[in-house]
Amino acid sequence: MTNQWSVTRLQSALGAVVAGVDLSQSLSADAQIHLRALLDEHLVLVFPEQQLLPGRHVEIGEVFGEPYVHPFLESIAEHDAILRVAKEPEDETVFGGEFWHADITFRNPPSSVSLLYAIDVPAGPCGDTLFANQFAAFDRLSSGMQSMLEGLEAVHVYPDMAECEATAAVHPVVRTHPRSGRKALFVNAAFVHRFVGWTVEESRPLLAQLEAHQTRPEFQGRVAWSNNQLTVWDNRAVLHYAMNDYPGQRRVLQRVTVMERTAT
Ligand code: SIN
């Protein structure tokens, strides 16, 4: 019954809050198509007040791709495709570090979508997640820079891992989204090691310049959290950054990331 869904845009750059949907119930084929179309349009979707058991969280992920079992990070006991994203009161760093990034770009195909579900988050205003629209980032480059970047590929690796087949993937720096056909910048400071044919040292200045551009305030949106909220984002279209502004408090969420299938 997608006509009961109410969609409210979050910010000009990206994002929408979707109310009137109960994701604990299975979605019809039409509802799944509508969900994917909403994500294509808004890039980040926020679903407040959802009651999701681990199995159902993964099933919603399957609407967008193939659930990924992380090779290096520990999954929760109930499901091997769900990561615990947690910061305890005594911890200083956040899960994933203080980097703008997209999830699991060091595989080929890369991830399509991540679905983060809030279990126990601090009462705000803190612990938000920032997003940056990479279609807008590409569109706002000069045509000369766009052409230069379109000729480049980047090597994505899991941090601190040697480049080897299991942990490295090569992706174009400007990637065409398989669903919308739009061009996005597809590099991120967490996983890109170097450009193909360039040394690591040669790659660093351009990567830093791109990161400054990719994360300009105009391209950003911001998601605040409440317990039982599910936020879904398209890793091919946005970068994200977890704010570390809640010292001494606990923040626990669970993440499913799914990998690209043809046309999802
Ligand atoms: C992540 O990087 O996947 C987690 C984002 C967050 O904790 O807000």
Side-chain angles (χ1 to χ4, degrees), residues 155-157 161 163 188 191-195 199-200 203 207:
V155 180
H156 296 234
V157 302
M161 292 283 178
E163 280 184 40
N188 72 84
F191 296 130
V192 171
H193 190 45
R194 63 183 175 85
F195 298 107
T199 65
V200 173
S203 303
L207 277 173

Side-chain angles (χ1 to χ4, degrees), residues 23-24 51-64 67 76 79 81-83 114-119 229-232 253-258:
L23 293 174
S24 70
Q51 301 299 326
L52 298 182
L53 294 173
R56 184 66 197 137
H57 186 179
V58 176
E59 276 170 19
I60 301 163
E62 285 170 340
V63 171
F64 300 98
I76 65 165
H79 206 297
I82 301 183
L83 291 177
S114 289
L115 305 94
L116 190 60
Y117 182 58
I119 304 291
Q229 172 181 315
L230 181 75
T231 299
V232 179
L253 307 95
Q254 293 180 349
R255 193 185 87 195
V256 172
T257 295
V258 298

Side-chain angles (χ1 to χ4, degrees), residues 152-167:
L152 283 182
E153 294 180 312
V155 180
H156 296 234
V157 302
Y158 192 76
D160 303 328
M161 292 283 178
E163 280 184 40
C164 63
E165 211 174 304
T167 61

Side-chain angles (χ1 to χ4, degrees), residues 83 85-86 94-97 99 101-103 114 116 127-131 223 225 233 235 240-243 246 251 253 255 257:
L83 291 177
V85 171
V94 292
F95 174 96
F99 301 107
H101 65 283
D103 294 327
S114 289
L116 190 60
D128 294 355
T129 307
L130 309 184
F131 293 90
V223 168
W225 289 93
W233 64 85
N235 285 303
H240 61 279
Y241 180 99
M243 293 288 290
Y246 49 99
R251 181 177 182 270
L253 307 95
R255 193 185 87 195
T257 295

Side-chain angles (χ1 to χ4, degrees), residues 66-198:
E66 209 55 53
Y68 183 68
V69 178
H70 204 288
F72 310 118
L73 301 177
E74 211 174 316
S75 47
I76 65 165
E78 295 90 333
H79 206 297
D80 61 3
I82 301 183
L83 291 177
R84 188 166 182 273
V85 171
K87 181 173 183 281
E88 298 297 343
E90 63 278 14
D91 293 341
E92 292 195 350
T93 54
V94 292
F95 174 96
E98 288 162 37
F99 301 107
W100 281 96
H101 65 283
D103 294 327
I104 325 289
T105 62
F106 55 91
R107 300 311 310 244
N108 198 1
S111 74
S112 50
V113 169
S114 289
L115 305 94
L116 190 60
Y117 182 58
I119 304 291
D120 182 11
V121 293
C126 61
D128 294 355
T129 307
L130 309 184
F131 293 90
N133 181 334
Q134 298 307 295
F135 296 128
F138 177 74
D139 291 345
R140 289 286 292 273
L141 291 167
S142 67
S143 57
M145 189 67 167
Q146 287 179 340
S147 306
M148 195 274 282
L149 294 176
E150 285 188 282
L152 283 182
E153 294 180 312
V155 180
H156 296 234
V157 302
Y158 192 76
D160 303 328
M161 292 283 178
E163 280 184 40
C164 63
E165 211 174 304
T167 61
V170 171
H171 299 298
V173 166
V174 178
R175 197 160 183 270
T176 301
H177 193 284
R179 287 178 53 80
S180 66
R182 293 184 67 190
K183 288 180 182 175
L185 276 183
F186 194 69
V187 287
N188 72 84
F191 296 130
V192 171
H193 190 45
R194 63 183 175 85
F195 298 107
V196 172
W198 297 31

